């Protein structure tokens, strides 16, 4: 169905891979190949899949141990990229720094697959200020941009000149986009164009800034996941998340095509 709808791949975690494959790794890889779907893997250093009641207050050492294990397990599925949910928001700056310094060494063990850390609530990169500090401290730190979380955490649109300057300095570090529109009170809206036209326009501008930067960096692949989830991300069980996700994918394909046509560039 994903192939039929026009998706190029899936983004999923180790737990979901085991569920989808019925613990048969070769079946999973063969099914993806059969339907011409790439894999972006998700690794968690804590709180895997956000299962209710499963969050733990872990040390930096425990997070790194989990990351090492998850990276080792994920690479066997031949992902084109790995998205990392890393750290936790209640650490000190020094703990965040220790984590990323050592996490980058773990990532370097797998030079054939790129990986990036997601800007997500509850994680180390839960707001733009700490994120800018980390990418300044570690210039080779790469990011997954899920900016919908920052709108909620900061409870503002992030369109003040100081906010935009911060984003301009962060965006060169982005490798992968989670294209979900949120507002200052919700990380996910039901209909971006109807429920949040201002936020939709603002976030589209940010995504296009990322595309611009990736062209400047000479990247040959730009990845984007239209990430809309069920309740509690959705405001109710009545939201048709499948249709919402497909609609966002189709919208982003059109937006990307329109954007690339304005560039002197062959993707």
């Amino acid at each position: 169905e994903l192939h039929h709808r026009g998706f190029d791949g899936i983004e999923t975690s180790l737990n979901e891979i085991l569920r989808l494959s019925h613990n048969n790794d070769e079946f999973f890889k063969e099914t993806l190949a059969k339907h011409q779907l790439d894999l972006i893997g998700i690794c968690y250093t804590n709180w895997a899949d956000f299962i209710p009641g499963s969050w733990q207050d872990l040390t930096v050492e425990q997070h790194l141990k989990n990351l090492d294990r998850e990276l080792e397990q994920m690479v066997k599925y031949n992902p084109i990229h790995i998205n990392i949910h890393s750290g936790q928001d209640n650490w000190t700056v020094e703990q965040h720094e220790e984590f990323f310094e050592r996490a980058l060494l773990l990532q370097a063990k797998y030079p054939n697959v790129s990986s990036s850390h997601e800007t997500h609530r509850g994680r180390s990169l839960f707001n733009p200020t700490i994120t800018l500090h980390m990418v300044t401290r570690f210039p080779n730190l790469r990011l997954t941009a899920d900016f919908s979380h920052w709108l909620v955490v900061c409870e503002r649109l992030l369109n003040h000149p100081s906010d935009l300057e911060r984003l301009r300095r962060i965006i060169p570090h982005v490798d992968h986009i989670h294209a979900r529109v949120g507002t200052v009170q919700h990380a996910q809206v039901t209909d971006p164009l109807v429920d949040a036209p201002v936020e939709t326009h603002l976030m589209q501008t940010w995504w296009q800034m990322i595309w611009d930067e990736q062209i400047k960096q000479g990247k040959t692949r730009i990845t984007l996941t239209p990430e809309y989830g069920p309740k509690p991300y959705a405001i109710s069980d009545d939201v048709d998340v499948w249709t919402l996700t497909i609609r966002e994918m189709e919208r982003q394909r059109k937006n990307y095509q329109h954007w690339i046509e304005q560039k002197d560039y062959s993707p």
Side-chain angles (χ1 to χ4, degrees), residues 212-263:
D212 284 332
E213 183 61 36
Q214 291 188 334
I215 281 185
K216 278 200 270 181
Q217 294 179 11
K219 292 188 178 297
T220 57
R221 178 183 311 212
I222 297 175
T223 55
L224 177 151
T225 297
E227 185 193 36
Y228 288 88
K231 195 176 177 182
Y233 275 99
I235 60 174
S236 76
D237 291 326
D238 296 328
V239 176
D240 186 348
V241 176
W242 178 236
T243 298
L244 178 60
T245 302
I246 293 170
R247 195 165 64 223
E248 188 67 59
M249 179 270 289
E250 293 173 343
R251 187 168 73 89
Q252 290 310 317
R253 280 198 182 281
K254 291 178 183 177
N255 289 342
Y256 181 84
Q257 187 61 39
H258 177 73
W259 170 83
I260 201 68
E261 288 172 357
Q262 314 305 312
K263 308 291 176 180

Side-chain angles (χ1 to χ4, degrees), residues 1-8 35 37 242 246 249-250:
E1 182 67 11
L2 287 164
H3 173 72
H4 171 71
R5 293 287 186 169
F7 287 91
D8 293 311
H35 296 93
L37 294 172
W242 178 236
I246 293 170
M249 179 270 289
E250 293 173 343

Side-chain angles (χ1 to χ4, degrees), residues 71 90 103 127 185 188 193 210 215-216 226 258 262-263 267:
L71 286 173
N90 62 342
N127 75 54
Q185 298 299 337
Q188 176 176 310
L193 294 176
I210 293 169
I215 281 185
K216 278 200 270 181
H258 177 73
Q262 314 305 312
K263 308 291 176 180

Side-chain angles (χ1 to χ4, degrees), residues 7-219:
F7 287 91
D8 293 311
I10 67 172
E11 179 170 346
T12 192
S13 67
L14 287 167
N15 286 341
E16 285 299 290
I17 289 174
L18 293 175
R19 182 182 67 83
L20 292 166
S21 66
H22 306 290
N23 295 312
N24 185 329
D25 294 346
E26 291 307 312
F27 168 75
F28 178 76
K29 289 188 283 188
E30 289 169 4
T31 302
L32 287 186
K34 176 182 177 182
H35 296 93
Q36 301 173 322
L37 294 172
D38 289 322
L39 170 67
I40 293 178
I42 305 173
C43 290
Y44 292 94
T45 67
N46 185 20
W47 203 7
D49 296 313
F50 299 96
I51 297 171
S54 66
W55 185 87
Q56 295 175 289
D57 194 357
L58 302 182
T59 65
V60 170
E61 193 68 41
Q62 288 171 309
H63 277 264
L64 290 165
K65 183 178 180 180
N66 290 339
L67 176 59
D68 193 19
R69 183 188 67 252
E70 293 236 335
L71 286 173
E72 183 179 16
Q73 292 176 355
M74 183 59 76
V75 294
K76 70 182 181 181
Y77 296 104
N78 304 319
I80 63 168
H81 185 74
I82 295 175
N83 176 35
I84 305 172
H85 281 252
S86 49
Q88 55 190 61
D89 60 3
N90 62 342
W91 282 346
T92 64
V93 171
E94 291 75 20
Q95 286 174 301
H96 291 305
E97 289 179 341
E98 180 188 358
F99 171 79
F100 284 115
E101 181 175 20
R102 296 172 62 187
L104 289 168
L105 295 176
L106 294 178
Q107 293 168 254
K109 290 168 59 177
Y110 308 100
N112 294 327
V113 58
S114 57
S115 54
S116 56
H117 298 263
E118 185 170 346
T119 62
H120 200 291
R121 289 172 295 164
R123 308 296 185 181
S124 284
L125 304 179
F126 68 100
N127 75 54
T129 301
I130 190 68
T131 302
L132 178 57
H133 175 81
M134 290 302 150
V135 296
T136 303
R137 174 75 172 75
F138 304 104
N140 58 335
L141 178 63
R142 306 305 298 177
L143 307 176
T144 295
D146 193 342
F147 294 147
S148 63
H149 290 283
W150 286 354
L151 295 185
V152 179
V153 170
C154 298
E155 208 167 7
R156 63 182 186 274
L157 286 177
L158 300 178
N159 58 356
H160 186 275
S162 62
D163 293 320
L164 294 175
E165 176 58 26
R166 199 172 287 113
L167 279 165
R168 277 192 288 269
R169 295 171 63 187
I170 288 170
I171 277 173
H173 296 267
V174 173
D175 278 349
H176 177 46
I177 298 171
H178 278 187
R180 174 174 54 204
V181 176
T183 70
V184 297
Q185 298 299 337
H186 301 283
Q188 176 176 310
V189 297
T190 302
D191 188 328
L193 294 176
V194 174
D195 299 338
V198 173
E199 290 86 347
T200 299
H201 174 76
L202 183 66
M203 299 188 79
Q204 191 69 51
T205 299
W206 296 341
W207 298 332
Q208 290 178 191
M209 288 169 64
I210 293 169
W211 295 340
D212 284 332
E213 183 61 36
Q214 291 188 334
I215 281 185
K216 278 200 270 181
Q217 294 179 11
K219 292 188 178 297

